[in-house]
Amino acid sequence: SQQGEEDPQALSIQEGENATMNCSYKTSINNLQWYRQNSGRGLVHLILIRSNEREKHSGRLRVTLDTSKKSSSLLITASRAADTASYFCATDASRGFQKLVFGTGTRLLVSP
Amino acid sequence: DGGITQSPKYLFRKEGQNVTLSCEQNLNHDAMYWYRQDPGQGLRLIYYSQIVNDFQKGDIAEGYSVSREKKESFPLTVTSAQKNPTAFYLCASKDRTNYGYTFGSGTRLTVV
C-alpha cells in the first residue's frame, strides 16, 4: 500500500534555484522521513520530522509538516547539479515495530 | 567501514527458476527489510525482520521467502511462484535508537 504521494512527479530547475516537493499521506503518523535516490542506487536518509514538529532544517534542506492537512514539503535551497536525483517521502504509521511506507517519488533534474 | 552490502548487482533468472539475493550488514542493526521498486510505483515492502530467527510478511510477500539465521544476513529468495519478478530489489536495516533506514545499493533482477 502506498501511503505517500509526491507532487510533482518530476521537476526541472536551473542551478541556484530552489526546489520544492510535496508529500501527502493518508493516516496519522509517528514520523515522516525524506530519502534521496541517485539513479540505479540505494536510498539515502536525508531528514526526519516527528509528528509533533512543524519544521526542521538540515543544511540546505528544510522540511515542514502539517498534520492537519496530512502533508509535508521538502525545500532544497540554492540547488546544485549534484542534487539531481529522485526524492521519496516515507511515513511511519506503525504501532510498535517501525515499518516505513514509501511514496512514489519526485524526480528532480538540476541543470547547470 | 560499516554498511550494508547487496549482491549480486545484476541477476538474470530463467522462467521457473528460484534465485536468492544476498543482503549482509555489519552495522549491528537488529531490524532488516526487503523492498521491491518498480518504475513509477515507489518502494513496496516484501518482508521484514525485527530479530534473528523472526520475520514477518510485508505487503507483497507472495512468491518470496526469507530467512534470518544470523543478525548480519537477511537473504531473499524469489521463487518461481512470483509471476512478475523483474524489478529492483532493495535491502535496508535499522538500529533500535535511530529511525532512519540504511539501504544497500540494490540488486536488479531480470527474467529472461
Side-chain angles (χ1 to χ4, degrees), chain B residues 3 10 32 83 104:
Chain B
Y10 298 97
M32 297 187 75
K83 298 305 178 188

Side-chain angles (χ1 to χ4, degrees), chain A residues 6 9 21 34-39 42-44 46 74 83-89 104-109, chain B residues 37:
Chain A
E6 277 97 332
Q9 288 188 325
M21 49 205 89
W34 285 91
Y35 287 78
R36 166 195 168 123
Q37 183 182 35
N38 286 66
S39 181
L43 279 70
V44 175
L46 295 176
L74 172 67
D83 294 328
T84 294
S86 292
Y87 293 82
F88 293 87
C89 69
T104 52
T106 292
R107 293 189 309 279
L108 174 65
L109 173 64
Chain B
Q37 185 176 28

Side-chain angles (χ1 to χ4, degrees), chain A residues 16-76:
Chain A
E17 294 179 340
N18 295 342
T20 299
M21 49 205 89
N22 304 295
C23 169
S24 59
Y25 56 91
K26 299 173 185 174
T27 65
S28 297
I29 59 172
N30 303 314
N31 64 73
L32 184 144
Q33 304 177 29
W34 285 91
Y35 287 78
R36 166 195 168 123
Q37 183 182 35
N38 286 66
S39 181
R41 305 298 301 274
L43 279 70
V44 175
H45 181 257
L46 295 176
I47 194 167
L48 176 151
I49 187 164
R50 301 178 196 279
S51 61
N52 61 354
E53 297 175 315
R54 292 296 167 257
E55 186 171 315
K56 282 191 81 170
H57 296 257
S58 177
R60 294 184 295 113
L61 305 180
R62 172 179 169 250
V63 171
T64 61
L65 179 65
D66 187 335
T67 53
S68 66
K69 294 182 180 179
K70 292 187 171 57
S71 68
S72 173
S73 67
L74 172 67
L75 168 67
I76 303 174

